[in-house]
């Protein structure tokens, strides 16, 4: 938002022309291409324009823009009406029409005209008839034009092929010339007393302080004829100070541009006459300065006293003689209890005190090397808030921030006050805020015309700055303490969240979600796999989800920031520059300047491009993610157009980046270890089961414990020789990695020994010796091992050895279930084992079910599934395929108890087809 004078000129067209959707300063010399409905006699003296995005928060921003603009112009009488009407019209544009809203405020001699344009040109609103025809006033929307008709002096709607504009005119209330405010109606007995005739002494003082004019009332009041006092200093007659607590001397008061107060004049009879004086500095026809003093008796002060401002003589005393705080005199009572409110009240009072068009206040950083904008009025505060300027940077900067300074014309010294660049302000006065000799801030007042301020105004503003400096510093320290406490709470919560996950993707998401919108408007996280890898864009987040894809696309086309391990935030300008170029190209295409067909003036991508440019166009900073002395990524934080980061936010982001880097590196290490563990576990199970002619085979395996793919239970089915297959199902004592180690030993040993042509008992006896050779790492093992040979008649011959394992169950076609083997000693306990094998023939349709004890020992309280329960379930599986049998057994086991299984489970079902 910018404000500028256009003396005698008509306003430019506020409608957008393909430029960036941001607050803008329009050239003063552009002619309006649309029909102007303003009266031709109106002279536009100033204007302010702004553009707002189609989001809900824009309505509040538009209200603030209009309020600040009108208050800055001194139109407080019509501010409320203008804000209400603007709110309704901007809501129609950004919420209901869903387009950008362009607001233009025009100041005339008679009042203010406000124009609101949107990009929804359909003629849906009636322009004729009474307001009653516009809709039911009780409905939720549609009241904007009814309010215009009810409140505004004049209003209207203009249409173009691409825009719709609603405007309204608010006239200033009629007041007598020179009237500032009306006093209260008082009873006669309360009116101030005077003599039979009120005499006003008019005394003119030249630049040397000598009396140059002395009127008749002065002779009557003080007894001196004019020729007796002309040429003498006023200080020879003044008894100063007369009012208790007054610190301004008569010499200083005569040098001020305007002053009111009371002191004493020694009359010709030697007595001191208390007077109330009003001083005004003027220039005579020769250009020499002089002071005109109007004096009345002190008890007649109501004749001269300004009603809207507390007189200087009463700055430290109340009517009852009690002392008051000079700070309260300037700020008013009650004083705001928050820093932002105090600073905003300060700049408004400073602007009013010097009759300026704008005012601003900056606070110094801890090292006093920079000043940060914290409050302003009459300026584009949304763009300038928290911007920083150096204190000492040579000519053209704030090199004079430690002393009062007056710039009569900023055009003659470009860049003297960077904050005012492009705002239309010409003259400015700035004074320091100091506490115990230390610079704590700077207060400035600016005007649109040149030569508005001199050293007298600087002195008055310095008096005000001295009154509020200590209060501002105290409030600043209080805010800093609150920020530090809030930062501590934020970091504690962030640490808890980051410590609660070891998933890399979830850690990246948490980093972004904690950053947006608390610290930044958008963020991007780059990760670096190793020192030889380039940074990779891993995560992007914006507070408006619709802009995420656009930002991600933009950043993917920009070279990533350098992975510099230097701590702290550094500015990264590449995204903003790329966004600006992309938006410029889109705007040129929309205007048909890219050489394409004329009918392709508006491309489908211009909206997202301009929105992305606005979102990324502000300040962007990069913080390194350093963990274990290695840069593992970068955290990028961004602000929308023309916004800046506060130093406290950057320090908080730096603390967060250190914690996030360690959490991200822990997640990376955990992911690597998990991948290695899972790969090793998967190697302990057979990759796939072979196809056996005439036999259906199905396996279901569940390992206990989170993240475990293999435990103490295992299974296998493998070819031994032509037409013969070995199968096994076993259970190692315990669960987890130690049991899985014995599992690997058993499974691989079985394959090797069986393929040597050894019988089943011989295979298990050698496996028993191998387990015992493990020593302290050995664990006992139950194992069911067998060899299967499909026969020509469709049956299958099995030779089975059951070493301490739950017995295999045979399901016949008639539904009977019986054990298919006898129990024998388990492995890994005794050195000398005498095992034998049993032969079983499975007829077509028979099923052999082999399980581990995790199935049979499934418990619910004191109940256990057991062998009998398993057999009962198996009897219901007649006629089912091997896969259906295994699935039914697993469902029965899971439904038997509500708790999660605490033991590994394996089910091997084989059915002769």
């Amino acid at each position: 938002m910018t404000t500028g004078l256009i003396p005698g000129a008509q306003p430019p067209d506020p409608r957008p022309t393909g430029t960036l959707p941001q607050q803008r300063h329009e050239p003063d010399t552009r002619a309006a291409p649309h029909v102007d409905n303003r009266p031709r006699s109106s002279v536009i003296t100033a204007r302010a324009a702004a553009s707002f995005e189609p989001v809900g928060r824009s309505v509040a921003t538009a209200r603030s823009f209009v309020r600040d603009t009108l208050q800055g112009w001194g139109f407080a009488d019509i501010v409320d009406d203008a804000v209400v009407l603007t709110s309704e019209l901007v809501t129609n544009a950004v919420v209901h029409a869903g387009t950008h809203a362009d607001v233009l405020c025009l100041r005339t001699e008679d009042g203010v005209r406000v124009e609101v344009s949107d990009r929804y040109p359909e003629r849906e609103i009636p322009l004729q008839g009474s307001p009653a025809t516009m809709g039911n006033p009780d409905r939720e929307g549609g009241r904007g034009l009814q309010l215009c008709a009810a409140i505004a002096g004049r209003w209207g709607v203009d249409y173009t092929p691409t825009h719709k504009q609603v405007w309204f005119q608010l006239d200033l209330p009629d007041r007598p010339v020179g009237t500032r405010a009306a006093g209260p109606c008082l009873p006669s007995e309360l009116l101030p007393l005077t003599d039979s005739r009120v005499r006003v002494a008019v005394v003119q003082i030249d630049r040397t302080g000598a009396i140059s004019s002395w009127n008749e009332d002065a002779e009557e009041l003080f007894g001196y004829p004019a020729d007796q006092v002309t040429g003498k200093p006023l200080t020879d007659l003044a008894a100063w100070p007369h009012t208790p607590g007054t610190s301004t001397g008569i010499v200083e008061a005569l040098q001020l541009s305007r002053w009111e107060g009371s002191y004493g004049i020694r009359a010709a009879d030697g007595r001191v006459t208390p007077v109330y004086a009003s001083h005004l500095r003027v220039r005579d026809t020769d250009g020499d300065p002089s002071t005109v003093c109007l004096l009345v008796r002190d008890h007649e002060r109501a004749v001269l006293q300004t009603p809207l401002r507390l007189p200087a003589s009463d700055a430290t005393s109340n009517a009852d003689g009690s002392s008051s705080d000079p700070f309260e005199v300037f700020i008013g009572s009650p004083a705001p209890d928050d820093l932002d409110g105090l600073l905003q009240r300060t700049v408004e009072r400073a602007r009013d005190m010097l009759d300026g068009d704008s005012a601003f206040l900056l606070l110094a950083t801890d090292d006093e090397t920079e000043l940060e904008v914290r409050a302003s009025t009459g300026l584009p505060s949304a763009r300038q808030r928290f911007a920083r300027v150096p204190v000492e940077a040579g000519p053209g900067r704030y090199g004079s921030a430690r002393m009062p300074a007056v710039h009569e014309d900023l055009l003659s010294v470009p860049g003297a006050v960077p904050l005012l660049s492009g705002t239309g302000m010409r003259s400015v006065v700035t004074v320091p805020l100091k506490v115990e000799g230390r610079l704590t801030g700077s207060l400035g007042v600016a005007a649109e015309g040149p030569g508005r301020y001199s050293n007298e105004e600087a002195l008055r503003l310095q008096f005000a700055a001295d009154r509020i400096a200590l209060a501002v510093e105290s409030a600043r320290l209080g805010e800093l303490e609150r920020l530090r406490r809030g930062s501590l709470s934020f970091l504690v919560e962030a640490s808890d969240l980051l410590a609660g996950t070891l998933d890399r993707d979830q850690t990246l998401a948490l980093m972004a979600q904690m950053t947006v919108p608390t610290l930044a408007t958008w963020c991007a996280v780059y990760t670096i796999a190793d020192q030889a890898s380039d940074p990779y864009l891993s995560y992007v987040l914006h507070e408006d989800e619709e802009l995420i894809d656009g930002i991600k696309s933009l950043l993917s086309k920009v070279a990533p920031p350098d992975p510099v391990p230097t701590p702290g935030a550094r500015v990264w300008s590449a995204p903003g520059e790329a966004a600006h170029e992309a938006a410029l190209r889109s705007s040129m295409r929309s205007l048909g300047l890219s050489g394409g067909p004329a009918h392709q003036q508006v491309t489908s991508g211009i909206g997202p491009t301009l929105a992305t440019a606005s979102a990324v166009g502000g300040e962007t900073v990069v913080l390194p993610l350093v963990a274990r002395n290695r840069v593992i990524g970068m955290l990028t934080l961004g602000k929308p157009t023309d916004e800046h980061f506060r130093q406290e936010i950057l320090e908080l982001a730096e603390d967060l980046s250190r914690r996030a880097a360690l959490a991200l590196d822990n997640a990376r290490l955990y992911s690597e270890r998990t991948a290695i563990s899972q790969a090793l576990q998967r190697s302990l199970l057979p990759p796939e089961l072979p196809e056996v002619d005439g036999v259906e085979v199905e396996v279901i395996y569940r390992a206990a414990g989170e993240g475990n793919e293999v435990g103490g239970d295992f299974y296998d089915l493998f070819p031994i020789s032509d037409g013969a297959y070995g199968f096994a199902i076993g259970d190692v004592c315990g669960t987890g990695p130690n049991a899985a180690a014995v599992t690997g030993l058993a499974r691989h040993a079985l394959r090797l020994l069986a393929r040597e042509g050894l019988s089943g008992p011989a295979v298990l006896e050698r496996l028993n010796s191998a387990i015992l050779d493990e020593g302290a790492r050995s664990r006992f093992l139950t194992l069911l091992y067998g060899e299967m040979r499909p026969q020509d008649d469709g049956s299958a011959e099995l030779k089975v050895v059951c070493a301490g394992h739950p017995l295999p169950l045979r399901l016949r076609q008639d539904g009977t279930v019986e054990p298919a083997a006898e129990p024998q000693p388990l492995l890994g306990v005794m050195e000398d084992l005498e095992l034998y094998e049993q032969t079983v023939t499975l007829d077509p349709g028979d099923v052999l079910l082999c399980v581990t004890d995790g199935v049979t020992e499934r418990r619910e309280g004191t109940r256990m599934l057991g062998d009998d329960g398993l057999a009962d379930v198996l009897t219901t599986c007649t006629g089912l395929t091997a896969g259906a049998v295994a699935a039914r057994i697993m469902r029965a086991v899971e439904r038997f108890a509500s708790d999660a299984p605490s033991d590994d489970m394996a089910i091997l079902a084989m059915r002769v087809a």
Side-chain angles (χ1 to χ4, degrees):
M1 295 176 288
T2 54
T3 304
L5 277 175
I6 324 174
Q10 296 297 333
D13 186 3
R15 301 182 181 92
T17 58
T19 56
L20 292 179
Q22 59 185 4
Q23 297 172 359
R24 63 201 185 282
H25 179 63
E26 302 179 13
D28 292 346
T29 58
R30 287 179 50 190
H34 63 283
V35 177
D36 192 355
N37 294 317
R38 292 182 301 270
R40 294 301 176 182
S41 59
S42 298
V43 177
I44 306 303
T45 59
R47 60 135 168 84
S51 182
F52 303 95
E53 296 180 352
V55 293
R57 63 176 180 274
S58 294
V59 179
T61 308
R63 287 197 296 264
S64 299
F65 162 69
V66 172
R67 182 179 296 279
D68 290 344
T69 300
L70 269 60
Q71 287 180 343
W73 289 345
F75 293 165
D77 296 319
I78 59 175
V79 163
D80 292 336
D81 289 345
V83 168
V84 170
L85 296 180
T86 303
S87 178
E88 290 291 334
L89 298 181
V90 173
T91 300
N92 290 341
V94 303
V95 176
H96 302 306
T99 73
H100 284 72
D102 301 293
V103 180
L104 176 64
C105 299
L106 302 173
R107 182 176 71 183
T108 67
E109 298 170 340
D110 303 324
V112 170
R113 174 184 170 114
V114 179
E115 301 175 356
V116 179
S117 301
D118 62 50
R119 305 173 193 182
Y120 193 76
E122 295 188 11
R123 299 172 179 262
E124 295 184 352
I125 302 175
L127 302 181
Q128 304 296 333
S130 64
T133 63
M134 296 182 183
N136 184 356
D138 295 330
R139 67 179 182 175
E140 181 180 355
R143 297 189 300 267
L145 299 188
Q146 289 180 324
L147 287 176
C148 287
I151 297 177
R154 293 184 297 276
W155 68 280
V157 183
D158 298 335
Y159 289 93
T160 71
T162 58
H163 296 82
K164 178 177 90 268
Q165 179 193 94
V166 182
W167 60 270
F168 61 86
Q169 176 88 26
L170 295 175
D171 299 327
L172 292 177
D174 294 332
R175 286 183 176 179
V177 176
T179 300
R180 293 184 59 189
C185 297
L186 296 177
S188 301
E189 60 272 12
L190 297 181
L191 296 176
L193 295 174
T194 67
D195 294 338
S196 57
R197 175 186 173 188
V198 176
R199 298 184 180 275
V200 179
V202 180
V203 181
Q204 191 158 359
I205 312 298
D206 63 18
R207 65 188 308 168
T208 65
I211 299 173
S212 59
S213 176
W214 185 269
N215 71 342
E216 294 181 358
D217 281 354
E219 294 181 2
E220 292 292 335
L221 285 174
F222 309 119
Y224 297 108
D227 57 357
Q228 186 176 349
V229 295
T230 300
K232 293 184 178 181
L234 180 63
T235 53
D236 290 352
L237 305 180
W240 188 272
H242 179 75
T243 305
T246 302
S247 59
T248 304
I250 184 63
V251 177
E252 291 84 354
L254 292 175
Q255 294 300 316
L256 295 176
S257 60
R258 184 184 296 275
W259 183 87
E260 291 183 21
S262 56
Y263 49 86
I265 295 291
R266 292 187 180 89
D269 58 4
R271 296 181 179 181
V272 175
T273 301
V275 297
Y276 186 84
S278 175
H279 297 179
L280 177 66
R281 291 273 284 174
V282 296
R283 287 189 300 173
D284 57 22
T285 55
D286 297 329
D288 293 331
S290 62
T291 302
V292 176
C293 303
L294 305 180
L295 302 95
V296 297
R297 295 181 181 90
D298 191 64
H299 64 274
E300 298 171 344
R301 63 169 58 200
V303 175
L304 299 179
Q305 190 173 18
T306 301
L308 296 181
R309 183 179 301 164
L310 192 64
S313 62
D314 290 343
T316 55
S317 64
N318 296 325
D320 57 359
S322 60
S323 62
S324 62
D325 189 355
F327 163 76
E328 296 288 349
V329 174
F330 178 69
I331 293 297
S333 182
D337 55 359
D338 63 305
L339 178 61
D340 289 336
L342 174 60
L343 299 183
Q344 192 62 36
R345 180 83 65 85
T346 298
V347 295
E348 291 171 357
R349 291 299 174 89
R351 178 198 60 190
D352 295 341
M353 183 178 69
L354 297 188
D355 194 22
D357 296 307
S358 64
F360 53 89
L361 192 147
L362 302 89
L363 293 184
T365 56
D366 292 339
D367 55 5
E368 299 180 18
T369 60
E370 290 182 309
L371 294 170
E372 183 180 63
V373 179
R374 291 301 304 271
S376 64
T377 182
L379 293 176
S381 56
R383 176 172 65 90
Q384 300 289 352
R385 185 168 170 80
F386 302 125
R388 291 193 169 200
V389 293
V391 174
E392 307 290 352
R397 292 288 184 177
Y398 268 81
S400 59
R402 301 182 188 278
M403 294 292 292
V406 177
H407 296 278
E408 295 184 353
D409 192 349
L410 292 177
L411 294 183
S412 61
V413 189
V417 184
L419 177 63
L420 301 179
S421 298
T423 61
M425 299 299 158
R426 295 285 298 275
S427 54
V428 61
V429 52
T430 61
V431 297
L433 274 70
K434 293 184 177 181
V435 175
E436 297 179 354
R438 181 174 59 87
L439 178 68
T440 61
S442 177
L443 177 62
V445 178
E448 295 175 348
R452 286 280 299 276
Y453 302 116
S454 61
N455 290 338
E456 289 81 357
E457 284 77 15
L459 182 59
R460 292 183 61 196
L461 191 60
Q462 186 66 69
F463 288 158
D466 293 340
R467 290 169 181 165
I468 57 101
L470 185 59
V472 169
E473 179 67 4
S474 176
R476 187 186 73 86
L477 293 176
E479 181 195 63
L480 186 60
E481 180 64 23
R482 288 191 296 273
L483 284 175
R484 287 173 177 170
R485 291 181 180 178
S487 300
L488 259 170
S489 176
F490 173 78
L491 291 175
V492 168
E493 182 179 358
S495 299
D496 290 341
L497 291 174
L498 292 171
T501 179
L502 288 173
D503 181 81
R504 176 182 176 275
D505 294 337
Q506 189 174 0
T507 302
L508 289 172
L510 282 175
M511 290 171 57
Q513 291 167 4
M514 288 185 294
T515 303
V516 177
T518 305
L519 305 181
T521 305
W522 65 271
C523 83
V525 182
Y526 290 85
T527 56
I528 303 175
D530 52 61
Q531 295 181 353
S533 302
D534 294 329
Y536 174 75
L537 182 61
S538 298
Y539 203 92
V540 175
L541 184 65
H542 190 279
E543 62 180 3
D544 186 353
E545 294 182 357
E546 296 180 356
L547 298 178
I548 294 177
D549 291 338
I551 297 176
K552 188 181 299 183
S553 175
L554 177 70
L555 294 179
S556 64
K557 300 175 183 177
V558 177
D562 296 330
V564 179
T566 306
R570 54 192 174 92
V571 177
W572 186 31
S573 59
E577 295 172 355
H580 177 74
E581 293 176 0
L584 183 60
R585 288 194 298 269
S586 295
S587 299
M588 293 179 65
R589 287 198 300 269
S590 71
L591 297 174
L593 301 180
S594 59
H599 67 276
Q600 294 180 349
Q601 291 187 355
V602 181
T603 64
S604 60
I606 182 173
T609 300
L610 296 178
T612 302
S614 177
V616 185
E619 188 176 39
T620 304
V621 296
V622 178
L623 297 102
L625 299 174
V626 182
R628 298 175 176 90
N629 298 321
R630 186 174 73 87
V631 180
I632 64 171
M634 284 87 68
L635 177 62
T636 303
L637 307 179
K639 287 281 190 179
T641 301
D642 294 328
E643 289 196 17
H644 302 269
F645 286 97
R646 296 185 60 184
Q647 185 63 28
E648 295 84 357
I649 296 297
L650 294 179
E651 293 173 357
L652 183 58
E654 185 178 356
D655 288 338
L656 175 64
S657 67
R658 286 194 291 266
R659 291 164 168 79
L662 188 59
L664 185 60
D665 199 46
N666 288 339
R668 177 187 63 84
L669 293 175
Y670 177 77
S671 298
E672 292 177 356
R673 300 297 187 271
T674 301
I676 293 172
S677 173
Q678 291 175 347
L680 291 174
Q681 290 184 63
R682 285 192 292 269
S683 69
L684 301 179
L685 294 176
E688 59 183 9
L689 298 178
E691 295 288 340
V692 181
D693 294 338
V695 179
E696 298 175 0
V697 180
E698 181 66 26
V699 174
I700 296 179
Y701 185 85
R702 298 285 190 272
E706 183 179 357
N708 292 330
E709 295 191 17
V710 179
D713 291 5
F714 66 95
Y715 66 93
D716 203 356
L717 177 67
F718 54 91
I720 298 176
S721 58
D722 293 340
Y725 296 86
F727 65 91
I729 184 169
D731 185 2
V732 179
C733 175
T735 59
N738 293 330
V742 180
T743 296
L745 170 65
R747 194 177 71 82
H748 292 292
L750 282 175
R751 288 198 172 207
L752 291 173
L753 295 173
R755 286 171 177 171
E756 292 295 326
L758 299 176
S759 65
V763 170
L764 268 59
E765 288 169 2
R766 284 168 173 75
L767 176 59
N768 181 62
S769 299
I771 294 174
L772 292 175
D773 289 343
E774 291 292 309
R777 296 183 299 176
S778 66
R779 290 170 176 255
F780 65 81
L781 167 68
T782 67
L783 180 64
L784 171 65
Y785 173 75
E787 295 179 2
M788 176 174 56
R789 290 179 182 273
Q791 303 298 313
D792 294 337
D793 60 358
S795 63
E797 182 183 81
L798 280 67
K799 294 182 179 180
V800 183
V801 180
C802 185
H805 198 76
L807 299 179
L809 299 178
R810 176 182 180 179
L811 171 65
R812 296 182 182 273
Q813 294 187 46
D814 59 2
T816 60
V817 175
E818 60 185 10
E822 296 178 354
Q824 299 183 58
L826 50 76
L827 307 180
V829 178
M830 298 178 293
E831 292 185 359
D832 297 327
L833 285 180
E834 294 183 1
L835 302 174
Y836 58 92
E837 63 183 9
Q838 296 173 271
T839 301
V840 179
T841 299
L842 296 180
D843 297 327
D846 289 355
V847 175
L848 184 70
L849 177 65
C850 309
V851 300
T852 59
D853 60 3
V855 174
T856 57
E857 295 180 0
R858 177 72 163 150
R859 295 179 179 275
E860 173 70 17
T862 59
R863 298 185 308 119
M864 185 173 71
L865 181 62
D867 297 334
D868 295 338
L870 179 62
D872 293 341
V873 177
L874 185 58
T875 57
T876 65
C877 299
T878 304
L880 299 181
T881 63
V885 171
R888 180 168 292 187
I889 297 298
M890 179 54 71
R891 283 198 303 271
V893 172
E894 291 175 344
R895 292 174 179 176
F896 187 80
S898 58
D899 296 337
S902 60
D903 195 4
D904 304 328
M905 292 187 294
I907 300 174
L908 172 61
M910 295 181 292
R911 178 180 181 273
V912 179

